[in-house]
Amino acid sequence: MTTIWNKAAALALLAGPAFAQTPCRDLSFDDTRYTVCEAHAGDDLRLFLDDAVGNLIGTPERLSEVIPAGDQIVFAMNAGMYHPDRKPVGLFIEGGVALHKIVTSEGPGNFGLLPNGVFCIGKGFSVVESRAFAADPPSCNYATQSGPMLVIDGALHPKFLEDGTSKHIRNGVGVSADGQTAYFAISDAPVTFHEFARLFRDDLKTPNALYLDGKVSRLTIPDQGREDLGLPMGPIVALISPAPPSPAD
């Protein structure tokens, strides 16, 4: 994973973040480094896919151009699996409208490794197993389906092997037991599913957590000058805040 610094990022650091403290931190768990970003109920956390005329947004750089003037990205991350045309594989809700249907059948790849799940942004946050979501959909302003689930009611996904050998840079989201905090994590080095899931269960203490993707995982934190490189993505999750006033103001 590559991180670049630029003049704009340096100026952002001098200006200071719009949040009292940038809600992202580095931590070490089982000798692996991770970056974890938090969002809290009431924060302006959204999912993005296309712009107002239907063109794929694809990158945090493009996202910064399409959000309203006066707003800024606090952090942004890829938010679920997508087809080669960047369209979501499963459920995608934006602004309360379902743009893609939920998929509840077993299938190939990580997405189809049931149980998979849905991350929902409503009055609070939740990660819900997909079939349970389909049977009794909660109210979501935004939602994205991905898979597999990492943690299900406090237990690791039953198909994760402690001695697994498949390792990738991975990112995912877990939600606190009270639904008030969402934790977005990305590994700084390749990890197995078992290792990554344990981060959410044992360190972040989230009873439910969802895998978002691997290999393509990217995180942008403008105030920290972090801008992971990669190809255009499908769904993006981003925490938005008002930009701080310029010195001239």
Side-chain angles (χ1 to χ4, degrees), residues 101-206:
K101 295 180 179 180
I102 194 165
V103 176
T104 58
S105 58
E106 190 171 8
N110 292 326
F111 183 93
L113 185 63
L114 300 185
N116 57 20
V118 177
F119 172 61
C120 168
I121 305 170
K123 290 184 178 180
F125 308 112
S126 60
V127 169
V128 183
E129 188 273 327
S130 294
R131 291 178 177 176
F133 187 102
D136 186 18
S139 177
C140 305
N141 295 324
Y142 298 89
T144 183
Q145 185 183 12
S146 193
M149 293 275 286
L150 297 169
V151 186
I152 309 130
D153 295 332
L156 302 188
H157 192 291
K159 294 185 179 178
F160 292 170
L161 302 177
E162 188 171 358
D163 59 353
T165 58
S166 177
K167 293 191 173 188
H168 296 288
I169 300 292
R170 303 186 189 274
N171 73 300
V173 58
V175 173
S176 61
D178 63 5
Q180 297 299 292
T181 305
Y183 299 92
F184 297 88
I186 185 170
S187 63
D188 288 349
V191 291
T192 66
F193 270 128
H194 192 276
E195 290 167 337
F196 193 46
R198 287 191 58 249
L199 167 76
F200 284 96
R201 186 191 66 179
D202 300 340
D203 190 285
L204 300 176
K205 307 297 184 183
T206 60

Side-chain angles (χ1 to χ4, degrees), residues 8-128:
L11 291 174
L13 285 171
L14 292 174
F19 275 56
Q21 181 178 358
T22 301
C24 299
R25 68 186 189 276
D26 294 330
L27 63 84
S28 180
F29 178 73
D30 278 357
D31 299 321
T32 299
R33 299 285 296 178
Y34 296 88
T35 302
V36 177
C37 296
E38 297 182 20
H40 301 280
D43 289 348
D44 190 4
L45 184 72
R46 307 181 217 167
L47 288 162
F48 298 88
L49 183 63
D50 295 331
D51 63 19
V53 296
N55 294 322
L56 177 74
I57 294 173
T59 67
E61 296 77 18
R62 272 276 293 138
L63 178 58
S64 66
E65 297 172 358
V66 302
I67 60 177
D71 285 349
Q72 66 176 1
I73 297 170
V74 180
F75 68 82
M77 175 184 281
N78 57 295
M81 297 179 185
Y82 46 87
H83 295 293
D85 64 359
R86 301 326 195 247
K87 298 301 182 184
V89 173
L91 179 72
F92 188 81
I93 296 174
E94 184 176 350
V97 178
L99 304 181
H100 293 267
K101 295 180 179 180
I102 194 165
V103 176
T104 58
S105 58
E106 190 171 8
N110 292 326
F111 183 93
L113 185 63
L114 300 185
N116 57 20
V118 177
F119 172 61
C120 168
I121 305 170
K123 290 184 178 180
F125 308 112
S126 60
V127 169
V128 183

